[in-house]
Structure formats: C-alpha cells, structure tokens
Amino acid sequence: MKQHRAVCGTVATLLLGLSACSPIDSSDTRYETDYANHEPLHVFGYPSTGSLQVVQEIVWRLADGKAGDLEKLATSDSTDSETRKTAANWVKSFQKGAQGKVAADFYDEASERQVVVLYFQGTQQVKEVTVRLDGNAGEDGWRVMMNEVSLKEAISPPTWAPKEPGGNGSVSDS
C-alpha cells in the first residue's frame, strides 16, 4: 500500500509538472479575457464563426484604444501605411462608442466575405466594415479590410444602411 501511494504521488507530481510546462494557447486565453472584460456585442444577421470573431475583436481593439492590435486584424491587400493610418482613424473616431453597447448587423452570407454595420449606441455612430477570408491570415482566416486613410472617409456612415440595427433583415438589396 505504501509503495502504491509513492507511485501515485510520483505520477501526480509528474503530471502536474507536465501540465505546468505545456504551452497554453494564448489566443484562446486572450479571447476569453477580452470577452469577460467587455460589453457583449449584440448581433443581427447570420455571421460565420470567423466573421463574428473578427468583428468582436475589432470592437474590443477599438474600445481598448489599441491601434497596433487592430492593425493585426487587417487583410493582406492593404499596405502597412494604409493599415496604420486606418487603425489610428478608427480608434480616434470610435473608441468611446466601442466602450459601450455595440450592435453588429451582418449582411449577406459569410462564406468568403461579409459586410457588417456597427452601431455604437452610446455615441450614435454607425460604421461599415468589410471582413473577408484572407489566405495569408493563418488558421482563423478572417480579417478586416483597412484602407480608409482619410479621417473623413473613416467616419462617414454608410448611406444605404438602416438607422437602427436589424432594420433591413440583414440582407442587402443588391
């Protein structure tokens, strides 16, 4: 019996040591922490898992004022300078709104690309973003197009979108 306890103790110590040394998926941990620390996103329409996740992360990076982290969510077809300027414009313009209640209206189907209209309820701002699958983005694949280098362009609300989220059934008229 004494020998059995010694073996079990050794195995338990070994397993604890292995689990303490095993890598923790920092992206999962970061997502869970972000989710717990931010206002939940109110969603309309039919996002895919990937399009929803990237839009949620866009709102979180805006709320936190982290333009550098927002840049990391950009598609590969924007230049570094376009992405940097766009991220700065978006944070400057939408940070306050992203810290409160935000609704996201997902338009069309989300097999490769999706237009999303963000409604920042506290500031009454509306922002259109386009997210798409990006072959250079790795496993998750979804990224946001960031090529609005002028502040005027960045803050211009979409003229076609309803004034309130969910007002058009989340399907474009095109």
Side-chain angles (χ1 to χ4, degrees):
M1 184 71 147
K2 198 177 213 183
Q3 188 177 21
H4 176 70
R5 272 190 245 152
V7 169
C8 287
T10 303
V11 170
T13 302
L14 179 61
L15 289 174
L16 284 172
L18 288 175
S19 65
C21 294
S22 64
I24 296 174
D25 187 348
S26 62
S27 64
D28 286 346
T29 303
R30 181 179 183 178
Y31 189 85
E32 290 171 9
T33 302
D34 278 336
Y35 190 85
N37 290 335
H38 294 89
E39 186 79 32
L41 185 66
H42 192 144
V43 177
F44 296 92
Y46 302 98
S48 70
T49 302
S51 66
L52 176 59
Q53 182 171 344
V54 75
V55 169
Q56 182 67 81
E57 290 184 42
I58 292 165
V59 173
W60 291 338
R61 302 297 81 83
L62 288 172
D64 295 341
K66 295 188 174 183
D69 287 349
L70 183 58
E71 289 176 43
K72 294 175 186 173
L73 300 175
T75 58
S76 60
D77 56 357
S78 297
T79 66
D80 288 344
S81 63
E82 285 177 326
T83 300
R84 192 173 311 108
K85 185 66 176 166
T86 300
N89 285 339
W90 288 5
V91 167
K92 178 180 180 180
S93 303
F94 301 105
Q95 182 178 10
K96 182 178 180 184
Q99 292 171 342
K101 293 185 184 300
V102 180
D105 211 340
F106 289 78
Y107 285 81
D108 303 318
E109 56 88 25
S111 60
E112 294 180 20
R113 173 182 304 259
Q114 199 160 32
V115 172
V116 182
V117 179
L118 299 172
Y119 295 85
F120 301 98
Q121 296 172 0
T123 58
Q124 300 301 304
Q125 294 171 291
V126 179
K127 173 72 183 142
E128 174 186 349
V129 297
T130 300
V131 296
R132 69 172 178 82
L133 280 172
D134 190 335
N136 297 332
E139 285 182 28
D140 55 359
W142 284 87
R143 294 288 181 253
V144 61
M145 295 178 68
M146 296 181 71
N147 55 1
E148 297 174 342
V149 294
S150 90
L151 183 60
K152 182 179 179 183
E153 182 181 15
I155 64 172
S156 295
T159 57
W160 59 270
K163 300 280 185 223
E164 299 291 325
N168 205 19
S170 299
V171 178
S172 69
D173 292 331
S174 55

